[in-house]
C-alpha cells in the first residue's frame, strides 16, 4: 500500500491516460490508496470505465490490455445488473467501485472458510459452521461470496452417497436503507428465504427436512448428512447470496478460473463425483438434467455430463 502511494506521489505529473493505465495494473486495495495520493491520480481513479475493467478482472473475464481500456463496460454492467443479488440499482446506477469491492471479497478466500468470510459470521454462526463438514462450509461460503446459480436460479450441492440437492433463494427487491446495508454490511448478509429440492420440480421450505411429494416422496428417501445441516443453517440464517441469477458473460469476454478461492470448491466437487476409494458411493447427477453441476466462484455454473464410457 505504501509502495502504491509512493509511486503515485513520485509520478504525479504523468499524462492522464498513462495514470489510468498505471492504476489498472494495481490490485484493488493498492488502487484505492494510490487514487488518494494526489489530485491527478484521484481524478483518474474515479473513471467509471477503469472500475468496470476492475470488475472484469474480479470476474476473471478481462486481462491487462496494455495502455488501453478494452473491456466491454456496457455489456458487463448490464450482465451484472441482471445477476448481482438485489443490487441491480447499484449496477445500473454507475457504482462499479462498490461492486468491485464486493467481488474482491471472494478473492480473499483461504483454505479455512471461517477466516475468509467478509464480514465475519457471528460467534453463534461460527460455532454452527465449525461443526459441519468442510465441503458444507465452503458451499455456504460460496453462496455468500460469489458462487453463481444455474440457469434456473438453483445452487446444486453434491456430496458422497446422496442425490444432489438444489437450493433456491427468494427475495423481494431491496430498496433504500436495506440496499445500502447490503452494500456496506456490518454482519453476514441475511434476507429472504431458501427452499430446497431433490429433483428441481418439488420444492420444500427449509423449515422441513421431509421429502413429502414427487418421485422421491416415497420409498424412505430423506435428506442425509450435509444436506440436513445445510437446510438447518439456511433456516436459522437465510444467507443473502451475492449472485441470485445466472451471469451471462458479454460477447467477446472469455471466462477462466484464476482465483485460488475456487480450488477448494472444485476439489470438493471432484471428491463427491470421483471418490478416491472404490467403497465410497459417489454423488449422482441431477435427475432432471442428467448432469452434475459445479459452482466456481465468480464464474458461471458449469454442467458436466458423462456416458457409459466415462
Amino acid at each position: 500500500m505504501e509502495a502504491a502511494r509512493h509511486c503515485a506521489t513520485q509520478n504525479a505529473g504523468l499524462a492522464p491516460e498513462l495514470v489510468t493505465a498505471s492504476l489498472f495494473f494495481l490490485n484493488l486495495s493498492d488502487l484505492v490508496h494510490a487514487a488518494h495520493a494526489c489530485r491527478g491520480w484521484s481524478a483518474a481513479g474515479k473513471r467509471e470505465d477503469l472500475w468496470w475493467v476492475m470488475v472484469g478482472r474480479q470476474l476473471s473475464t478481462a486481462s491487462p490490455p496494455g495502455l488501453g481500456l478494452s473491456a466491454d463496460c456496457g455489456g458487463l454492467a448490464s450482465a451484472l445488473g441482471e445477476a448481482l443479488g438485489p443490487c441491480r440499482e447499484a449496477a445500473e446506477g454507475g457504482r462499479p467501485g462498490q461492486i468491485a469491492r464486493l467481488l474482491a471479497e471472494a478473492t480473499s478466500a483461504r483454505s479455512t472458510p471461517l477466516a475468509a468470510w467478509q464480514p465475519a459470521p457471528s460467534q453463534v454462526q461460527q460455532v454452527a459452521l465449525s461443526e459441519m463438514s468442510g465441503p458444507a462450509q465452503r458451499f455456504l461460503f460460496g453462496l455468500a461470496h460469489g458462487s453463481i446459480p444455474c440457469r434456473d436460479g438453483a445452487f446444486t450441492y453434491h456430496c458422497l452417497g446422496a442425490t444432489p440437492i438444489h437450493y433456491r433463494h427468494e427475495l423481494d427487491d431491496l430498496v433504500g436503507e436495506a440496499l445500502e446495508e447490503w452494500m456496506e454490511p456490518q454482519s453476514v448478509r441475511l434476507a429472504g428465504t431458501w427452499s430446497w429440492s431433490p429433483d428441481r420440480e418439488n420444492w420444500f421450505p427449509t423449515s422441513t427436512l421431509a421429502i413429502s411429494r414427487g418421485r422421491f416422496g416415497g420409498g424412505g428417501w430423506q435428506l442425509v448428512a450435509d444436506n440436513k445441516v445445510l437446510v438447518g443453517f439456511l433456516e436459522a440464517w437465510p444467507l443473502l447470496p451475492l449472485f441470485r441469477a445466472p451471469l451471462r458473460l458479454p460477447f467477446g469476454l472469455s471466462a477462466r478460473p484464476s482465483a485460488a478461492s475456487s480450488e477448494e470448491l472444485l476439489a470438493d466437487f471432484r471428491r463427491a463425483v470421483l471418490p478416491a476409494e472404490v467403497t465410497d458411493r459417489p454423488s449422482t447427477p441431477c435427475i432432471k438434467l442428467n448432469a452434475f453441476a459445479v459452482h466456481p466462484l465468480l464464474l458461471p455454473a458449469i454442467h458436466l455430463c458423462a456416458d457409459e464410457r466415462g
Side-chain angles (χ1 to χ4, degrees), residues 145-219:
H145 291 81
S147 290
I148 298 175
C150 301
R151 185 175 181 179
D152 60 358
F155 299 88
T156 298
Y157 182 73
H158 289 277
C159 65
L160 283 173
T163 296
I165 299 298
H166 315 283
Y167 295 85
R168 186 173 64 186
H169 185 260
E170 296 180 8
L171 174 74
D172 294 331
D173 289 338
L174 294 180
V175 296
E177 293 183 3
L179 178 61
E180 292 300 322
E181 169 61 22
W182 187 86
M183 294 294 293
E184 299 287 349
Q186 302 301 313
S187 59
V188 173
R189 302 178 184 91
L190 304 176
T193 59
W194 284 88
S195 55
W196 58 272
S197 171
D199 57 13
R200 271 187 154 94
E201 294 179 355
N202 297 278
W203 291 88
F204 304 96
T206 52
S207 57
T208 181
L209 299 175
I211 304 176
S212 56
R213 60 183 183 275
R215 66 189 74 187
F216 294 102

Side-chain angles (χ1 to χ4, degrees), residues 81-160:
E82 295 176 359
L84 189 57
C87 201
R88 178 178 302 180
E89 174 185 324
E92 295 179 347
R95 298 164 69 182
Q98 287 179 296
I99 294 171
R101 179 185 54 75
L102 284 170
L103 298 182
E105 294 174 354
T107 66
S108 67
R110 298 187 290 278
S111 296
T112 304
L114 290 179
W117 283 72
Q118 296 293 331
S122 68
Q123 289 187 349
V124 177
Q125 292 165 348
Q126 289 186 41
V127 170
L129 288 167
S130 66
E131 292 177 346
M132 64 181 67
S133 71
Q137 287 187 44
R138 288 184 282 272
F139 178 75
L140 293 173
F141 177 87
L143 296 182
H145 291 81
S147 290
I148 298 175
C150 301
R151 185 175 181 179
D152 60 358
F155 299 88
T156 298
Y157 182 73
H158 289 277
C159 65
L160 283 173

